[in-house]
Amino acid sequence: MAVPDLVLLHPPSVMDFRKRTLLMGPVSDLIPSTPVFDMYPIGFTTMASHLESRGWEVRIANVATRMLASSRFDPDRFVRSLDAAMFGIDLHWMPHVQGALELARMVKRHHPDRPVLMGGFSASYYHADLLRGHPEVDFVLRGDSVEVPLERLSEAVEKGKGLEEVPNLTWRLDGSVKVNPLSHVPDSLDEVLIDYGLMVRKVLRYRDLEGHLPYRNWKSNPMSIAVSVRGCTHNCVNCAGSCDSFGRNFGRSSPAYRSPRLLADDVARAEEHVKGATFVVGDIRQQGRKYASEFLAELRRRKVRNEIVLELFTPCDAAFAKEVSASLDRFSVQMSPETHDEVVRKAQGKPYANVGVERSAEAFLDAGCGRFDLFFMIGLPGQTPGSVEGTVRYVERLYDRFRGKRLFPFISPLAPFLDPGGNAFEHPEKHGFKVLARTLEEHAQLSTMPSWKYVLNYETRWMTRDQIVDASYSAGLGMNDIKERMGLIPRDTAERTRSRIMAARELSGMIDAVVSKDGWNEADLAALRDSAKDLSESTVCEKEELDWTDNSFYASIPRMVGSLLRKR
């Protein structure tokens, strides 16, 4: 088998997580991945699709899912067995910093003559630091759209050409760091290719299903993604994907959208391969209602049957909900008001009222929405423990109002990290935050702490780390009790969740007792390791509550085979 031109490696959050005592907490309860953040970014697919369309051979290897799938899987041996002209490692969100750096060292140890590339939001933010302080990293491609720069870099690596003309590249020459202009910032996503059949072909070529899974639970809860936008028109203070952050860190002055027709094509092609929900990234109203209407009309013409999951960044009117209903057979909606407190919500960067949230939920539920998910957060500017309790009481009123109407509120902490590059990280005093880690090394060190309380890289003027942790567990108990009383979850499910939360809270105290002693080490925590592992997933709710589909991966096999036969 020919050596790939590029192997894209996705690390776990902590490379040796299986050997450490890590109470990771409810940091991933409300996303598809596990607490080791095993979901690789959609950019892996777009980069691989772009290069493959131009004749390059790319392999994706999700090291995190391989490690989760088998205790016998040895990442060091696996990396040693690989070869490629170049290795790429994502450092998109900051929770991967320790795993990404350790994986880069592993690659460089076994393949010292092969260049190691990093990319993603966090890599872009720390690009110069990565090149100055980490000899295992040779290149960083900056920005949100590196498909074309990656092609240019691959050509330069293959032909031994100079790197001065590769856009968005930070690199090293004779020991000094070179920063090429961030010049490739496309104003449209219409040239971005998403090959939904890529994973199927690569699984067959490399005989590696686990390594190509987007996340561990994909086989039981398959999901596809269609990307409507890169960039954002909103300014949530904690987010590295905010409008200000895109301008400051990624050279983007305005969002780049995919045309309604091509976005609908993506959704339809995803359905050819996967029998499961398709999540449309970005509020389709961001570019205006005309864009949203055109996209929905395109979907209506294609008669899409998969469930479509839409995001709302702001409240909507009943007319929009009816338009969605008229265009789609099956759909669900997600909205993140973050808190019931409108003053706190405004400080977070979302200046809209509760009445808008409630009218949006009512409009979509009346229009036949499969489920309307509401996400609330703990650790916001201006938020106190009492305010968190108020959010739980507000949720109870919502449940009572929408009883039996498929409303699903969730709550979790802003964890583990405040995003580097976001406004709160850049201007913490202005927004009431205290940042506890600034550098790559400081974040990597926090990542290996034994309890998620010590991993948090921030406190606020209103809540300490201890209060954020306690409020998270208390809110989880409150939400669980409400769902049980309302009949939304069975009694045995509620009891399991209640027991897990109480056990996690107790274990957190036991870890505190160890960490408070001078000279403690990992051996002092060994007796708690199994309990920490068991209590680090589905902490404040059952993860299955987030599943959009009852279909498993195996229900998609006929579609995948059909797409291969059609060579699509």
Side-chain angles (χ1 to χ4, degrees):
M1 186 180 296
V3 173
D5 299 292
L6 175 67
V7 171
L8 294 170
L9 299 168
H10 178 66
S13 56
V14 177
M15 181 52 66
D16 55 349
F17 71 92
R18 296 181 300 188
K19 300 178 181 178
R20 291 179 177 270
T21 301
L22 299 171
L23 179 62
M24 296 180 173
V27 298
S28 70
D29 280 2
L30 305 188
I31 57 177
S33 70
T34 70
V36 301
F37 294 96
D38 47 295
M39 185 174 182
Y40 61 70
I42 185 64
F44 268 24
T45 303
T46 60
M47 288 187 293
S49 298
H50 180 88
L51 289 183
E52 291 264 338
S53 72
R54 285 153 175 79
W56 303 87
E57 175 62 29
V58 182
R59 178 179 181 179
I60 293 174
N62 192 336
V63 176
T65 59
R66 294 288 301 269
M67 294 179 72
L68 288 166
S70 173
S71 60
R72 293 177 297 176
F73 174 77
D74 183 345
D76 189 77
R77 184 184 304 146
F78 174 70
V79 167
R80 186 171 67 245
S81 72
L82 297 172
D83 196 9
M86 181 164 60
F87 291 89
I89 299 171
D90 64 292
L91 179 50
H92 189 54
W93 300 116
M94 202 58 181
H96 285 109
V97 59
Q98 196 271 357
L101 292 174
E102 287 298 321
L103 187 55
R105 294 183 187 111
M106 196 180 294
V107 171
K108 190 58 75 172
R109 183 168 64 250
H110 293 302
H111 308 283
D113 298 326
R114 302 302 195 199
V116 174
L117 162 71
M118 280 194 178
F121 280 1
S122 297
S124 296
Y125 183 82
Y126 287 107
H127 66 105
D129 295 329
L130 283 167
L131 268 295
R132 289 193 193 101
H134 296 274
E136 64 273 14
V137 179
D138 299 289
F139 307 131
V140 174
L141 279 174
R142 313 187 311 279
D144 63 22
S145 300
V146 299
E147 292 85 3
V148 171
L150 177 57
E151 181 186 4
R152 299 276 295 277
L153 177 61
S154 298
E155 290 173 349
V157 168
E158 180 188 54
K159 298 175 181 177
K161 295 165 54 177
L163 301 173
E164 292 83 358
E165 301 304 317
V166 178
N168 302 22
L169 181 68
T170 302
W171 52 294
R172 200 182 292 108
L173 179 65
D174 298 329
S176 64
V177 176
K178 302 295 182 182
V179 181
N180 293 357
L182 185 58
S183 56
H184 185 78
V185 186
D187 57 8
S188 166
L189 299 188
D190 285 358
E191 299 302 315
V192 175
L193 176 64
I194 302 180
D195 182 352
Y196 291 99
L198 182 72
M199 185 184 83
V200 182
R201 298 195 303 275
K202 295 302 177 181
V203 167
L204 295 175
R205 179 176 177 82
Y206 293 103
R207 300 176 185 177
D208 179 15
L209 174 59
E210 297 293 341
H212 285 86
L213 291 179
Y215 49 93
R216 185 191 67 179
N217 294 330
W218 193 88
K219 285 188 289 186
S220 60
N221 183 33
M223 177 186 70
S224 54
I225 291 177
V227 181
S228 71
V229 63
R230 288 176 180 169
C232 192
T233 58
H234 300 275
N235 256 327
C236 300
V237 299
N238 60 295
C239 185
S242 67
C243 178
D244 285 352
S245 178
F246 267 104
R248 194 166 46 230
N249 302 306
F250 314 125
R252 182 167 295 289
S253 58
S254 61
Y257 297 96
R258 194 158 178 82
S259 71
R261 179 181 61 80
L262 290 180
L263 184 61
D265 282 345
D266 293 341
V267 174
R269 284 187 293 106
E271 186 176 57
E272 293 179 2
H273 295 85
V274 178
K275 187 176 183 180
T278 299
F279 185 86
V280 180
V281 176
D283 189 328
I284 60 173
R285 301 169 300 152
Q286 271 197 104
Q287 200 179 14
R289 282 291 291 272
K290 182 175 182 290
Y291 176 97
S293 294
E294 290 178 1
F295 170 60
L296 292 171
E298 293 284 352
L299 287 181
R300 189 162 57 247
R301 281 193 285 273
R302 286 162 178 76
K303 298 180 180 179
V304 173
R305 297 291 179 261
N306 269 1
E307 182 170 13
I308 307 302
V309 184
L310 300 175
E311 292 188 280
L312 293 182
F313 289 172
T314 57
C316 73
D317 55 28
F320 179 64
K322 291 176 181 177
E323 186 177 9
V324 171
S325 179
S327 305
L328 300 171
D329 277 0
R330 301 170 60 218
F331 62 95
S332 292
V333 176
Q334 294 191 337
M335 189 175 187
S336 299
E338 316 284 27
T339 173
H340 77 291
D341 188 322
E342 294 172 1
V343 174
V344 173
R345 187 182 301 135
K346 184 176 182 179
Q348 167 68 359
K350 298 186 174 185
Y352 54 80
N354 289 336
V355 64
V357 176
E358 294 164 26
R359 286 176 179 171
S360 300
E362 184 174 43
F364 268 104
L365 291 169
D366 287 348
C369 179
R371 57 185 291 163
F372 194 98
D373 293 343
L374 285 173
F375 295 104
F376 298 93
M377 190 174 286
I378 298 167
L380 304 174
Q383 188 182 51
T384 64
S387 176
V388 176
E389 293 173 5
T391 295
V392 176
R393 291 193 297 271
Y394 175 69
V395 165
E396 185 167 22
R397 293 196 296 274
L398 288 178
Y399 272 132
D400 190 54
R401 174 178 173 180
F402 294 103
R403 187 188 296 265
K405 283 196 172 184
R406 308 170 309 284
L407 183 78
F408 290 84
F410 300 94
I411 192 165
S412 69
L414 169 56
F417 294 146
L418 199 64
D419 288 351
N423 286 339
F425 191 87
E426 297 301 299
H427 310 289
E429 296 83 6
K430 176 182 177 181
H431 297 287
F433 285 86
K434 179 182 179 182
V435 175
L436 305 174
R438 280 282 171 192
T439 67
L440 285 165
E441 288 71 23
E442 288 169 347
H443 281 94
Q445 185 175 4
L446 287 184
S447 297
T448 61
M449 292 298 288
S451 171
W452 68 280
K453 178 177 80 174
Y454 302 105
V455 180
L456 293 175
N457 72 344
Y458 75 97
E459 293 181 331
T460 75
R461 192 182 304 154
W462 305 270
M463 295 179 74
T464 64
R465 277 169 157 175
D466 285 289
Q467 289 174 310
I468 291 169
V469 170
D470 187 64
S472 297
Y473 288 138
S474 294
L477 287 170
M479 297 279 274
N480 185 64
D481 290 346
I482 292 167
K483 286 185 280 189
E484 182 183 18
R485 285 200 304 272
M486 295 293 180
L488 294 167
I489 56 175
R491 179 177 296 178
D492 60 338
T493 298
E495 186 53 42
R496 283 198 306 272
T497 300
R498 189 176 298 114
S499 297
R500 275 197 310 272
I501 294 173
M502 297 300 291
R505 180 177 259 167
E506 181 180 0
L507 182 60
S508 180
M510 296 168 69
I511 292 173
D512 286 347
V514 173
V515 172
S516 66
K517 298 176 182 177
D518 291 337
W520 70 273
N521 58 41
E522 181 66 26
D524 299 323
L525 297 162
L528 307 178
R529 186 173 302 153
D530 289 343
S531 295
K533 178 183 176 182
D534 293 341
L535 295 171
S536 287
E537 193 168 0
S538 292
T539 305
V540 297
C541 67
E542 291 276 2
K543 208 170 186 68
E544 288 75 14
E545 292 180 44
L546 291 163
D547 289 355
W548 291 299
T549 178
D550 293 328
N551 296 312
S552 73
F553 157 77
Y554 301 100
S556 298
I557 289 178
R559 299 187 184 196
M560 294 177 179
V561 172
S563 69
L564 286 173
L565 294 175
R566 294 190 301 272
K567 298 183 178 180
R568 298 186 65 172

